[in-house]
Every structure is written in C-alpha cells, then in structure tokens.
Amino acid sequence: GEIAEKSENLGGAAICFLDEADKKCIPSYDSKGVNNNAALQSNLLTLVEGHEVKPGINTGRTMFVFMGAFQDVRNKKQARENALSELEYCMYGKEKDNRNDALYTDININEIVEYGMIEELAGRISQVVNLHRLSDKDMGVLLKEKTKELSEELGVKIELTEEALNSFFDVSYSCFGIRNQVNILRNLATDKLSEHYFDDDFDKSCCKIRINSPDNAIVCKKRKMKMEPSA
C-alpha cells in the first residue's frame, strides 16, 4: 500500500507508523530455507534510507516509527534478571526483587537485533522508547472514558461503580490491556440491554445500566433531579 500521502505544503515530510513491527523481526523461513521476514526488512531498509516511491514522492523526509510489544525480548530479559536475582540471593543473601514485570521491562536496540531485526535496519533507528505501566489514576480515567464511549454507542447511560473500577485494574494490567476490559463492559451492557429491551417499563432515556463488577450488571432507573420551588 501507500506509505503516506504527502502534502506539498510540508515539503514532502511525513510520518509512517508501522504497527506490530516486532512480528516482522521474528525469523520466518519458507520451504527453501529463506528468511522471508529478513527479506522484507531489507526491502523496508531501502524506504527508510530514502527512496522515490513514485514521481515527486520520496521517503527521504519520512520519519518511520516501528511499534510493537517485542514481548519475547522482554520475557527473555526478565528470565535472565530473575535468574541473576536468584543467584545473588543464594550467594549473598541479597533480597530478591519481585517487582519485575515482563510487560514493561525496558529493552534496547541490541536486544531487538538479537530478536531478529537486521543490523542495517536497526542502525537506522535513532531512539528506542519504552512505554511503562499507567498509574491507577490514569487507568481509571481511561476506563471511564471507554465506558462513556460505550454509552454513546449503545444509546443508554452506563455507570461504572468504583468497586467495579477497582476490580478491573488487575486485568487491565495484564497482557490483554484495555481491550479486554472494553469487551467485558460491552458484553455486560449488551446482555442487560437485550434482556430488558422489550420490558414495558424499560426506556433508554430514563434507565441506566450499572456495572457493579466484571461479572455483574443491573438495570435501574435514573434519579430525577429535584425541582426547586418557584418563587
């Protein structure tokens, strides 16, 4: 496909995001023993170095962003760190560090090369940015925003209690991330919606779905605002 649509006003500058780039680093051999992913990286190298993909469009002013979890790299690094921690504990009685988290272990370009990225392409990467765990506060804001989006999508008010929010944290920090939580929220809401949709007293405008936990939701009436008596 097209790398990017470039604007003449920007002088041909563009940003190209390559999602799940880690999947293209893992060696993948065909029946003839050719590493297809290495060949793909070699072709990509031409674009990263600067190549005219079509008349007037050159990738020389394109910033390439390689995105990916690189989870195998992190798992391997964590295993080494855990083994070292165990050794230090056995030899010196040093307290073991149980805070290691393979989901957020920092990795560097050398470890990515060890994973399977060709050195020529890795040499064109100027910076490796490691993302870290969100705080509970930030995760709470994200979950509430996703609940609001789901409310707009289904056309009914969805309320996430603090108890449910706290219960969601543990699963949110797993390898499933926020997507799993959104799926749980959507399934709970749609199940309750379909269960009560044809009830005589059900009205989207005056009812809401309250999520009490990752496995419990109820339909209840919205509280009406009290009207102040007129003077």
Side-chain angles (χ1 to χ4, degrees):
E2 295 291 337
I3 290 296
E5 292 297 329
K6 299 193 176 188
S7 169
E8 293 182 0
N9 296 329
L10 296 176
I15 300 176
C16 179
F17 293 90
L18 302 173
D19 195 13
E20 296 191 347
D22 53 328
K23 304 296 190 301
K24 299 305 178 183
C25 291
I26 304 173
S28 176
Y29 298 95
D30 61 17
S31 59
K32 296 181 180 180
V34 176
N35 184 347
N36 290 323
N37 277 345
L40 185 148
Q41 291 180 58
S42 295
N43 292 332
L44 184 58
L45 176 61
T46 302
L47 296 175
V48 174
E49 290 179 327
H51 177 72
E52 188 174 36
V53 295
K54 61 193 308 185
I57 297 183
N58 193 297
T59 60
R61 297 193 63 193
T62 300
M63 180 174 71
F64 289 85
V65 180
F66 296 83
M67 301 184 297
F70 291 93
Q71 200 55 55
D72 288 348
V73 185
R74 301 177 193 280
N75 290 338
K76 185 182 295 185
K77 184 169 184 176
Q78 186 194 42
R80 288 197 299 261
E81 291 176 350
N82 288 344
L84 179 60
S85 179
E86 288 284 351
L87 180 61
E88 290 179 338
Y89 177 75
C90 293
M91 294 182 64
Y92 309 111
K94 184 178 179 180
E95 184 177 352
K96 292 182 287 186
D97 186 356
N98 296 317
R99 296 171 298 172
N100 288 341
D101 187 343
L103 287 172
Y104 301 98
T105 299
D106 285 356
I107 59 176
N108 56 47
I109 195 63
N110 291 326
E111 290 162 335
I112 294 176
V113 170
E114 182 184 344
Y115 182 65
M117 179 176 284
I118 62 175
E119 293 182 351
E120 294 86 352
L121 184 58
R124 301 299 187 277
I125 297 177
S126 60
Q127 185 178 12
V128 175
V129 178
N130 290 280
L131 301 182
H132 298 106
R133 181 191 294 270
L134 291 175
S135 66
D136 284 355
K137 179 180 178 182
D138 291 336
M139 183 61 77
V141 170
L142 187 56
L143 285 169
K144 289 177 180 178
E145 184 61 30
K146 291 298 182 182
T147 302
K148 180 180 177 182
E149 292 176 4
L150 187 58
S151 296
E152 295 173 352
E153 176 186 330
L154 298 179
V156 62
K157 172 69 175 178
I158 300 176
E159 179 182 271
L160 186 63
T161 66
E162 287 300 318
E163 291 79 8
L165 187 64
N166 292 332
S167 298
F168 275 129
F169 283 157
D170 289 341
V171 185
S172 297
Y173 290 129
S174 71
C175 59
F176 296 110
I178 193 67
R179 295 175 185 172
N180 191 47
Q181 305 315 301
V182 174
N183 289 335
I184 293 175
L185 287 170
R186 177 176 284 105
N187 290 337
L188 284 170
T190 53
D191 285 350
K192 283 300 170 185
L193 192 59
S194 61
E195 182 181 336
H196 295 277
Y197 193 83
F198 294 105
D199 290 353
D200 293 335
D201 60 345
F202 180 78
D203 184 347
K204 281 187 176 182
S205 63
C206 61
C207 291
K208 66 181 178 181
I209 298 174
R210 186 169 67 205
I211 309 294
N212 295 315
S213 72
D215 55 8
N216 177 265
I218 61 173
V219 172
C220 52
K221 293 285 186 70
K222 295 180 184 177
R223 290 183 180 179
K224 293 183 178 179
M225 295 181 62
K226 293 182 179 180
M227 300 296 293
E228 294 291 335
S230 57

